Amino acid sequence: MHFSDRLGNAIQEKNNPTVMGLDPKLDYIPQHIRDCAQKDAMNPFHAAADSIITFNCALINAVADIVPAVKPQLAYYEWFGLEGLRAFDTTCRYAKEKGLLVIADGKRNDIGSTAEAYSGAYLGETDLENGKSTVFNTDALTVNAYLGEDGIKPFLKDCDVYEKGIFILVKTSNPSSGQLQDMPLADGRKVYEAMADLVKDWGAERCGQNGYNSVGAVVGATYPVQLAEMRERMPNTWILVPGYGAQGGKAADVALAFDAKGLGALVNASRSLMCAWQKADRYAGYSEADFALAARNEAIRMRDEINEALQKR
Amino acid sequence: MHFSDRLGNAIQEKNNPTVMGLDPKLDYIPQHIRDCAQKDAMNPFHAAADSIITFNCALINAVADIVPAVKPQLAYYEWFGLEGLRAFDTTCRYAKEKGLLVIADGKRNDIGSTAEAYSGAYLGETDLENGKSTVFNTDALTVNAYLGEDGIKPFLKDCDVYEKGIFILVKTSNPSSGQLQDMPLADGRKVYEAMADLVKDWGAERCGQNGYNSVGAVVGATYPVQLAEMRERMPNTWILVPGYGAQGGKAADVALAFDAKGLGALVNASRSLMCAWQKADRYAGYSEADFALAARNEAIRMRDEINEALQKR
C-alpha cells in the first residue's frame, strides 16, 4: 500500500496523529535496566546497546496499541557505535513486528550516486552476491535537500518502487533554524519557502488515495506562524512536526499543521514520552519500574491534548 | 596537534594534497576477493563486509606512503547494514594505524542536542557506564549546516576539545547543486556564498599554526568559477574538493582551490583510484590481482598532475 495511505490509515485507526521519538540516552533509562545489562554484557558498548534495546522494546510494547509510528533518531544510535546500530536495527524490527510504522530520522543527504546508497539502506535494498536484500527496512527517512534534485531522486525512486516515504527538512525546530532557512531570496520568498516549493513539486505525482503524497516535510512546532503557512503552501504534503513538548511547542501550535479534516500531520514527541517517568510534577506517584506506563499515559495525554486542540479550531 | 596542522603537515610530508575516497561497491572489488569472502562468511552481508575490508585495507597499504588521508563515505557502508558499518569501523582503524588521517563523509546534521550525538560518535566521545569512550575515532566529519549555528556548535566544541575538523557543505559537486545553493538572496549574495560566510565566521577563532582553521568547506571541482571565488572568500578555510576525476573535474580546475603557496585544499578521488584496475585505457596491462598497484599508480599520477597544475599557475 502507498506510504501515505499506510500512514493515514494507521493514524485514523488509532485516532492519534503522533509519533514516539526514540532518541535514547543512558540517563533516560531506569537504573535497574542499566545494571542488568552491565552484568550480562561483553563490554560497556554492548551493555549500553542492551539497555537501549530493553528500554525501547518496553516503550514500544506500552504504546503499540495507541501510537501509529516510532521515529528512532540515528544520531543517538551511532553515538554508541556498532553496538548502538545493533540497537537501532533491533528497535526497528521490533516496532515493525508490533505493527508500527518506523521513520528513521537520519537527515541523510549526498550527491545522486551516493544518495542511492543511503536510500537503499533505509528505503530500498542492497545488492549482495546472491541478489537484492533489504537492509534496515524502515518505512520512511528524513532527508536534507541542500544538494537539490539529483540528491533526492534516488529516494523518490525507492519511495515509488518500495512504497516508502521521505520527510525533507523545510523549517526546522531549533533556535537558529532561521539563520539560513529564513534568509530572504531575491524573488521575495525565503529559503525555507523555496525548499517547500521544491518539496511540493517532488511530491506532485506521488499521491496516495488519501490525497497526501510520499514526499513529506519537516516543519518545527516551535515556529507556529510558519507551520500554518507551510500547511497552506504544501496542501498534499505530510508534515512531520518536531518540537512539541520538551522543545516548547504547544498543542495549539501543532494543530496548525493539520488540514481542515484533521489530517496531514504527524507530531513527534521524544523526551516527553521517554522521560515521562522522571517528571516529578506530572508522574509523581511513578517509580522507575513504571517508566513504560508513564510513557503510555503521557502518549495518551498527548493524543488527547492534540485531538482536543484540533476540535477547538 | 590542531587538526589544520596535522592535515597540513601530512600533505607537506607526502607532497600530496589529495585524499583517497573509500566508497566501496561490490562491483569495484575484484572477483577473487569476493569469492574468497563468500566461502568464509556467515551470510551475504558478512561476505560483503569482509570483501570491503580486504579491498580497502589493500588499497590503504598501497597508498599509505604517498597519500595523507582517506575519506570513507558512510552511505556505502550503511548500505550493507550492521556488517557494512563493521567494515567502516575496521577501515577507519586500519587507516589510522597506517598513519593516515580519516575524514568520515557523512554530511551529518541535526538540532543542537542531536548534533552532539553525531559529533560524539565521529569526533568526540560517548558516555558509557564506566566513563567516556571514543566511538569511531575519525579525524574529521563532513557536515550539512542547513539548520544553522546551533546545529554546528557541538561539532565546533569537539573540534576544539579533541583537535578534530569538520568540512561544511558550501557548493557541492553534483549537477543540481545550484537548485538551492545558487539561489540569489535579497542582499545580493547567493545561498552558497551566505553559507561560505557562515563557515568563515565559525572558523574565525579556530586557526592552526599554518593559518588554516578546523572548520573546512566542501566545494566541488565541477564548478571551477565558484571554487576560485570560494578560495578568495574564505582565505583561512580548508577546502575539501570532490568531483575530480570520475565526476569530470580537471587538474586545472582543482588548482583554483589552493592558495598562492599551494596550500589550503584537499582533493578527493574515489572511483578513479578504487576502480583504476578496471580502466582498460590507462591500466591495460593490469590484471584484477593488480588492483592495489593500479590504485597506487593512479594516486601517483593524480598527485603529479595536481602538483604540476599548481606549478603552472
Side-chain angles (χ1 to χ4, degrees), chain A residues 88 149 194 230 243 247 279 310:
Chain A
F88 169 78
E149 181 161 86
M230 291 296 100
Q247 284 184 58
K279 292 281 158 63
L310 286 172

Side-chain angles (χ1 to χ4, degrees), chain B residues 147-169:
Chain B
L147 285 89
E149 181 162 85
D150 61 61
I152 296 298
K153 274 185 176 170
F155 296 108
L156 299 179
K157 189 181 158 205
D158 285 342
C159 285
D160 296 347
V161 172
Y162 299 96
E163 303 190 302
K164 301 291 180 82
I166 53 174
F167 293 93
I168 297 177
L169 303 186

Side-chain angles (χ1 to χ4, degrees), chain A residues 232-252:
Chain A
E232 205 168 330
R233 196 171 189 119
M234 304 179 287
N236 306 107
T237 303
W238 281 101
I239 301 182
L240 176 62
V241 188
Y244 172 79
Q247 284 184 58
K250 306 287 175 216

Side-chain angles (χ1 to χ4, degrees), chain B residues 6-162:
Chain B
R6 286 197 288 140
L7 179 58
N9 291 354
I11 289 172
Q12 288 181 317
E13 276 163 23
K14 292 172 179 169
N15 187 30
N16 188 357
T18 71
V19 50
M20 176 168 71
L22 291 171
D23 312 359
K25 284 185 170 182
L26 285 187
D27 54 12
Y28 295 177
I29 302 176
Q31 195 62 50
H32 70 276
I33 292 177
R34 292 159 60 182
D35 288 345
C36 180
Q38 267 188 287
K39 292 240 183 312
D40 188 48
M42 294 184 289
N43 62 56
F45 282 100
H46 189 155
D50 284 353
S51 298
I52 292 170
I53 290 169
T54 304
F55 184 57
N56 283 356
C57 291
L59 292 175
I60 289 167
N61 277 340
V63 305
D65 61 327
I66 50 170
V67 162
V70 294
K71 181 176 75 63
Q73 164 55 259
L74 272 155
Y76 290 98
Y77 300 88
E78 290 176 51
W79 207 7
F80 294 103
L82 300 182
E83 286 290 335
L85 287 150
R86 173 173 68 86
F88 169 77
D89 185 46
T90 304
T91 298
C92 294
R93 286 191 290 112
Y94 192 75
K96 297 277 287 181
E97 262 177 47
K98 293 287 163 181
L100 298 173
L101 289 165
V102 177
I103 302 169
D105 196 353
K107 299 181 175 61
R108 296 302 195 250
N109 65 109
D110 217 296
I111 65 168
S113 50
T114 305
E116 213 176 289
Y118 278 132
S119 184
Y122 298 99
L123 307 177
E125 294 180 296
T126 191
D127 284 311
L128 297 169
E129 298 288 355
N130 59 344
K132 289 184 182 294
S133 184
T134 301
V135 186
F136 288 117
N137 193 21
T138 53
D139 296 288
L141 177 68
T142 59
V143 169
N144 183 324
Y146 185 73
L147 285 89
E149 181 162 85
D150 61 61
I152 296 298
K153 274 185 176 170
F155 296 108
L156 299 179
K157 189 181 158 205
D158 285 342
C159 285
D160 296 347
V161 172
Y162 299 96

Side-chain angles (χ1 to χ4, degrees), chain A residues 257-296:
Chain A
F258 293 81
D259 67 18
K261 293 184 212 149
L263 283 176
L266 188 64
V267 181
N268 180 71
S270 306
R271 273 172 286 172
S272 55
L273 301 186
M274 302 181 82
C275 304
W277 66 278
Q278 295 175 334
K279 292 281 158 63
D281 50 346
R282 202 172 273 154
Y283 298 98
Y286 289 64
S287 76
E288 72 166 45
D290 302 322
F291 71 96
L293 182 63
R296 179 182 174 84

Side-chain angles (χ1 to χ4, degrees), chain A residues 25-26 31 34 38 44-45 48 51 73-76 78-82 85-86 89 105-114 116-118 120-122 125-130 133-136 144-151 169-170 172-177 179-181 183-187 189 191-192 194-195 198 202 247 271, chain B residues 25-26 31 34 38 44-45 48 51 73-76 78-82 85-86 89 105-114 116-118 120-122 125-130 133-136 144-151 169-170 172-177 179-181 183-187 189 191-192 194-195 198 202 247 271:
Chain A
K25 285 185 170 182
L26 285 187
Q31 194 61 50
R34 293 159 60 183
Q38 269 188 286
F45 282 101
S51 297
Q73 164 57 258
L74 272 156
Y76 290 98
E78 289 176 50
W79 207 6
F80 295 103
L82 301 181
L85 287 151
R86 174 173 67 86
D89 185 46
D105 196 353
K107 300 183 173 60
R108 295 302 196 250
N109 65 108
D110 218 296
I111 65 168
S113 50
T114 305
E116 213 175 288
Y118 278 133
Y122 298 99
E125 294 180 295
T126 190
D127 284 311
L128 297 169
E129 298 289 354
N130 59 344
S133 184
T134 301
V135 187
F136 288 117
N144 183 323
Y146 184 74
L147 286 88
E149 181 161 86
D150 61 60
L169 301 187
V170 170
T172 56
S173 61
N174 57 314
S176 69
S177 73
Q179 196 171 24
L180 191 89
Q181 297 161 28
M183 281 188 174
L185 292 167
D187 64 13
R189 296 179 298 172
V191 168
Y192 74 89
M195 186 65 92
L198 291 173
W202 291 327
Q247 284 184 58
R271 273 172 286 172
Chain B
K25 284 185 170 182
L26 285 187
Q31 195 62 50
R34 292 159 60 182
Q38 267 188 287
F45 282 100
S51 298
Q73 164 55 259
L74 272 155
Y76 290 98
E78 290 176 51
W79 207 7
F80 294 103
L82 300 182
L85 287 150
R86 173 173 68 86
D89 185 46
D105 196 353
K107 299 181 175 61
R108 296 302 195 250
N109 65 109
D110 217 296
I111 65 168
S113 50
T114 305
E116 213 176 289
Y118 278 132
Y122 298 99
E125 294 180 296
T126 191
D127 284 311
L128 297 169
E129 298 288 355
N130 59 344
S133 184
T134 301
V135 186
F136 288 117
N144 183 324
Y146 185 73
L147 285 89
E149 181 162 85
D150 61 61
L169 303 186
V170 170
T172 56
S173 61
N174 57 316
S176 69
S177 73
Q179 196 171 23
L180 192 88
Q181 297 161 27
M183 281 188 175
L185 292 167
D187 64 12
R189 296 179 298 171
V191 168
Y192 76 89
M195 185 65 91
L198 291 172
W202 292 327
Q247 286 183 59
R271 274 171 287 172

